[in-house]
Amino acid sequence: MSFNRFQGTDTYLVTPELRDAVNVAIALQKPLLIRGEPGTGKTVLAEAVAESLQMKLLTWNIKSTSKAQEGLYVYDTVQRLNDARFGEGDISDIRRYIKLGPLGKSLTSEQRVVLLIDEIDKADMEFPNDLLHELDRMSFSVAETGEHFSAKERPIVIITSNNEKELPDAFLRRCVFHYIAFPDRTIMADIVRVHHPNVEEELLKQVLLRFYWLRDLPTIRKRPSTSELVDWIAALQRGGISTYTLAAEMPFLGVLLKRENDVEAVLAMRN
Amino acid sequence: MFVDFFYHLRRFGLKVTITEWLSLMEALVVGHERASLDAFYHLARCLLVKRETDYDTFDRAFAAYFRGIENGPDITEELLNWLEDPLLPDISVEDRAKLEALELNELLQRFHELLEEQNERHDGGNRWIGTGGTSPFGHHGVNPAGIRVGGGGSGGGSAVQVAESRRFQNLRSDRILDTRQIGVALRRLKRLNKSDGPEELDLEASIDASARNAGEIELVFAPPRRNRIKLMLLMDVGGSMDPFTTLCERLFSAAHAANHFKEFEHRFFHNCVYETLYTDISRWEGEPTTNVLANLDHTWSVVFVGDAWMAPYELTNVNGSLNYFHRNSITGLEWLQRIRERVPNSVWLNPMTSEHWGATSTRLIHSVFPMFELSIDGLTEAIDVLRGSRPNRPLTAPLSKTSYF
């Protein structure tokens, strides 16, 4: 098996560390756990992997109420009960009421797919443990019908976490882990160029200078992220802000800072 | 020799398990075409380290282990010497093929055998590689392209240099603590039970009841589950606590913002608790400690925040209070013990790191309350005590009477 399957895409730049982590996960067929600050491209990574390997992407967005079982399948008892009462459909065929979730779909797919389990830390703390068996064996049973499904092609599983909750050790042991560090200036410049190919070098330099200055301010509570920087540059370009203006003031600060206190703190500092 | 790295990491406090180590071995077999110290660094980190808070520890361990290999023109030579295997450069084509065909199960078995051997003789590690270069790692050593170190576009520098630059220092969980992290830690502090109040539709029970009722819909209502934790936060303010003001503010605002407690109260004190607890930071407004205590019972949890650092007499003497005009007839230590008796579910968070807990006053307070650092790790442990999943034990080593003064 070749090791270097994932190399990033035209629109998604990948550090060698992240590229290695993705390829290890693919080669060893283990779930890849990605952590990092918001806006560092955790979710987009799954899309990039799917695109570059030409596989279908299934997304499972985790909420605080998500249960592991829902990812596999849901037995729609209420629908069946309803059908039974009003005499609709064939209620003897339970399979009609088994609705596969994203994990269930990825394990029953004919082709190899990429499964993104997004923001796993939002769910209950026991949630990751409930997934262990399915992720290890890549198979599951439907208790109601007695059917057993085993993945023909083990999906590439990418899990993201914002670190809101500590994940259980047993779960972590089975994952390949990568922490996306916040990009440094050089990488950030490359990322910006992907989104704004026509950005002037001088403007970019000034923008990055301001951006990292803002991020390093200790008074800022919510530090601006990559996506906010990209939006800011778009705003600056549309507003026709020249490099000279930028050097003197910080226009469209609201694009970067979302908290009133932070904006005030920056303005106070500049005065 | 190479398995030493496993023990080396564990010595640095990384909880690397055998399963993870085997995954690394497997990855080295699979990804052999890209063997370099850089690649090894990436591989080892993503398979052995599962928290960014441990990245710094891993970097230090890695740098300590591989230091001296990255410099000089004779890297290949040095790395090979380090592997201590003279057979490696002459590996035959057949052996190479055998290596590539090495199955995981075989590898696993071999690994276990070697582990056992390692237990018997601690110096015997080099046999692991010495047996004709069957080690997957050793195999990399002979790959001429493999020992390329440095470059690779990873921001410059060899893996060891990268490791030595300790980029992830700021992520260490024992260093940083912001309001959100505290809030997340506090969220773990809950004990659920059915509460009174308006009832909610219990969907599961309704379906069950309807099914038993031959499909006639029957709705079941039940009281919702609520957290019954009642938290009292007692904070030391002023004086030696001033350097920790920001940290304490964060803890306070996180606890205050946490809306999942059944009740949340806070009081302030200076250095030690005496007969008055204050409701404001400037300590003008207060209420008798006995009143506060009367409203607390074993269903409450009490969290102290303070550096526990003061003159011992402030704890042990009548009229020992730091305030000259303040006369206390009951010693500070006695007050603390009363609180502990009233609320056994109590802990002390200390913003100073544990190596500074040697002072007599600190040890005295530590002998009353379990004490933890005011860091993410410490807070998590303290909350485990309050949840009952960690023994609620103060320091047991008794202090001799004379050492009080």
Side-chain angles (χ1 to χ4, degrees), chain A residues 1-4 16-17 19-21 24 27-28 30 33 35 77-78 81 85 125 163-169 172-179 181 218 221, chain B residues 17 19-20 23 26-27 30-31 33-34 39 41-43 45-47 49-52 55 152-154 167-168 171 179-180 184 187-188 207 210 215-217:
Chain A
M1 188 181 307
S2 167
F3 201 68
N4 289 319
E17 288 162 337
R19 183 197 59 211
D20 282 1
V24 171
L28 299 190
K30 282 174 182 294
L33 175 65
R35 268 208 290 240
T77 42
V78 179
L81 184 64
R85 284 196 78 181
M125 265 175 295
N163 223 356
E164 278 193 33
K165 288 193 191 97
E166 188 69 14
L167 299 169
D169 283 340
L172 290 174
R173 268 204 298 278
R174 287 164 167 87
C175 294
V176 177
F177 173 75
H178 183 74
Y179 174 79
R221 295 283 283 280
Chain B
T17 60
T19 330
E20 288 167 319
S23 299
E26 196 190 340
V30 175
E33 73 263 35
R34 311 190 51 251
Y41 169 79
H42 295 169
L43 269 185
R45 201 182 67 187
C46 75
L47 286 166
V49 187
K50 302 298 167 70
R51 291 179 176 87
E52 67 272 21
Y55 272 12
S154 61
R167 294 163 296 158
F168 300 100
L171 300 173
T179 315
R180 177 163 181 75
V184 168
R187 232 196 289 170
R188 290 183 52 242
I207 293 170
S210 304
E216 277 305 314
I217 305 270

Side-chain angles (χ1 to χ4, degrees), chain B residues 57-75:
Chain B
T57 314
F58 177 77
D59 276 1
R60 283 195 303 129
F62 190 89
Y65 199 77
F66 291 91
R67 187 170 294 137
I69 299 171
E70 82 279 25
N71 294 322
D74 284 326
I75 289 167

Side-chain angles (χ1 to χ4, degrees), chain A residues 114-146:
Chain A
V114 178
L115 172 68
L116 168 66
I117 305 180
D118 208 12
E119 308 198 27
I120 194 167
D121 51 330
K122 275 201 188 155
D124 186 74
M125 265 175 295
E126 287 307 309
F127 178 86
N129 279 339
D130 296 343
L131 288 177
L132 287 182
H133 178 81
E134 281 74 20
L135 289 179
D136 256 2
R137 303 259 163 258
M138 290 289 178
S139 66
F140 71 102
S141 304
V142 178
E144 284 80 0
T145 60

Side-chain angles (χ1 to χ4, degrees), chain B residues 329-397:
Chain B
S329 54
I330 300 171
T331 65
L333 197 62
E334 173 76 28
W335 277 116
L336 294 179
Q337 278 157 352
R338 284 187 189 185
I339 297 175
R340 175 73 178 176
E341 271 164 34
R342 183 83 182 160
V343 189
N345 223 9
S346 44
V347 290
W348 188 289
L349 292 174
N350 195 330
M352 299 215 286
T353 49
S354 53
E355 68 248 34
H356 301 297
W357 293 359
T360 306
S361 62
T362 313
R363 285 187 297 159
L364 275 172
I365 291 177
H366 201 171
S367 69
V368 181
F369 299 103
M371 191 178 282
F372 300 96
E373 287 180 15
L374 184 47
S375 63
I376 274 296
D377 290 344
L379 189 60
T380 309
E381 286 170 17
I383 283 170
D384 283 345
V385 168
L386 297 179
R387 297 169 77 216
S389 57
R390 176 183 273 267
N392 187 348
R393 260 202 307 270
L395 197 66
T396 42

